[in-house]
Amino acid sequence: MARRCHWFRVSSAFMVQINVLLIVVGVLFMLDVVGHHYLRSQTFPGLPLYPVGLRDWLLWVRALTLLAYILNAILGIRMAKNPSVLKFALYMVIGLVVLLYNLTIASTRFMYRQKFEYFATQVTLQCWAKNMMDKLEVEFTCCGVIGVSDYQMSSTNRTWSSGSCCEKPECPGCISNIKKYLWTIEMEVARDNYFVAIFLAATLILMILFFKDVQLYDDPYEEESEDDSEYDTENYSDEIQDQPPRPQVPQRDVEAAVPDADSGAKNQPRSSLVN
């Protein structure tokens, strides 16, 4: 059975390459987390309320999850080079916990859509209250919160940004564009965590197959016993070949050297027989 399944063996070098790929993927998605934090600090700085995807606690959870993901991949490289039960168990436990966190973060992005709409609206209203709409109007090609009417109905003498589209008749309000932008960030968070979960799940399955192959095919005691038996067989055959050949005695000389008992008895004298 072992020889039939030998073609399905997962090698140590293959597992090292897979875990190196996981490290590269983790670093790339870690850069995505840093990018989301940078966008929040540049586009919506200093706001008390954010959607869930841009909150500090979720950014920290994502960063720590990816850090555990990278460290687990490093452990997987050591496991592939020097397999042991402890490393395998630790790799599987950390991998399953990280996998659960990634699936939870990714799935919750599609839940509580009403709460997302509320927080996205609050972001726009906070930017309007703090007089931060100039940059948003230029970036999102919009005017005010709902439209030009916000400037017309405002009690303060506000003027729109010179780069906005407020003078155009079909210029929309910024609330819809900001909602689309924030929802795009939520989908990027879900995408990143789904990709990480898929890579991690595939690697865990391959690691199980690798550890199974190590137990079945890479048993050092079995290999040593096979090598010793082959070595003994070879030495025995060499000893037999090194021994000099024995001289062969002709059959006639043997018969002459060993006389027949009957013939010897006949040749004896009678006196000895009588005595």
Side-chain angles (χ1 to χ4, degrees), residues 1 3 9 18 26 31 60 81 97 106 123 149 156 160-161 170 175 191 206 210 229 243 251 253 255 263 266 271:
M1 184 65 184
R3 294 186 178 277
R9 180 178 179 180
I18 289 296
L31 295 176
W60 277 107
K81 292 183 177 180
V97 172
V123 168
S149 59
T156 60
W160 53 73
S161 173
E170 297 181 356
I175 188 170
R191 178 205 63 194
L206 291 175
F210 169 72
S229 61
Q243 291 180 358
Q251 187 68 23
D253 296 340
E255 291 178 355
S263 62
K266 291 180 180 180
S271 60

Side-chain angles (χ1 to χ4, degrees), residues 189-236:
V189 174
R191 178 205 63 194
D192 293 351
N193 285 273
Y194 273 132
F195 272 116
V196 170
I198 291 172
F199 280 120
L200 184 56
T203 306
L204 291 177
I205 294 173
L206 291 175
M207 184 60 76
I208 293 173
L209 296 176
F210 169 72
F211 189 74
K212 177 182 69 65
D213 290 339
V214 168
Q215 294 298 317
L216 291 178
Y217 306 117
D218 293 340
D219 189 358
Y221 298 102
E222 183 178 355
E223 291 181 356
E224 290 178 1
S225 62
E226 291 179 356
D227 295 339
D228 293 340
S229 61
E230 292 178 357
Y231 178 76
D232 295 340
T233 305
E234 291 177 357
N235 289 340
Y236 180 73

Side-chain angles (χ1 to χ4, degrees), residues 58-268:
L58 186 62
L59 290 173
W60 277 107
V61 169
R62 290 174 60 195
L64 292 176
T65 302
L66 288 173
L67 181 60
Y69 175 81
I70 294 172
L71 293 177
N72 196 44
I74 297 174
L75 177 62
I77 294 174
R78 296 180 62 87
M79 164 64 194
K81 292 183 177 180
N82 299 312
S84 68
V85 178
L86 180 61
K87 292 178 184 177
F88 173 74
L90 189 61
Y91 183 87
M92 295 302 297
V93 170
I94 297 176
L96 290 175
V97 172
V98 174
L99 179 63
L100 178 62
Y101 267 90
N102 281 292
L103 291 176
T104 303
I105 294 172
S107 300
T108 51
R109 303 282 62 75
F110 299 98
M111 303 170 63
Y112 311 112
R113 183 62 186 268
Q114 294 180 354
K115 290 185 178 181
F116 167 78
E117 295 285 341
Y118 170 77
F119 286 112
T121 303
Q122 290 299 315
V123 168
T124 310
L125 294 176
Q126 290 174 91
C127 291
W128 173 263
K130 292 188 174 186
N131 199 12
M132 296 166 51
M133 295 299 296
D134 293 346
K135 185 188 296 184
L136 299 179
E137 288 174 350
V138 175
E139 184 173 354
F140 295 105
T141 315
C142 57
C143 181
V145 178
I146 301 175
V148 186
S149 59
D150 293 330
Y151 289 99
Q152 297 172 353
M153 297 173 60
S154 176
S155 57
T156 60
N157 294 325
R158 290 189 180 184
T159 57
W160 53 73
S161 173
S162 59
S164 65
C165 62
C166 292
E167 296 180 353
K168 298 180 180 180
E170 297 181 356
C171 185
C174 292
I175 188 170
S176 59
N177 293 339
I178 290 176
K179 283 183 178 180
K180 291 179 181 178
Y181 175 75
L182 295 175
W183 183 249
T184 302
I185 294 178
E186 295 285 336
M187 292 300 99
E188 288 179 356
V189 174
R191 178 205 63 194
D192 293 351
N193 285 273
Y194 273 132
F195 272 116
V196 170
I198 291 172
F199 280 120
L200 184 56
T203 306
L204 291 177
I205 294 173
L206 291 175
M207 184 60 76
I208 293 173
L209 296 176
F210 169 72
F211 189 74
K212 177 182 69 65
D213 290 339
V214 168
Q215 294 298 317
L216 291 178
Y217 306 117
D218 293 340
D219 189 358
Y221 298 102
E222 183 178 355
E223 291 181 356
E224 290 178 1
S225 62
E226 291 179 356
D227 295 339
D228 293 340
S229 61
E230 292 178 357
Y231 178 76
D232 295 340
T233 305
E234 291 177 357
N235 289 340
Y236 180 73
S237 60
D238 293 338
E239 290 176 359
I240 293 177
Q241 292 177 0
D242 293 338
Q243 291 180 358
R246 295 181 179 179
Q248 295 182 358
V249 181
Q251 187 68 23
R252 294 180 180 178
D253 296 340
V254 173
E255 291 178 355
V258 181
D260 192 1
D262 296 335
S263 62
K266 291 180 180 180
N267 294 328
Q268 290 181 357

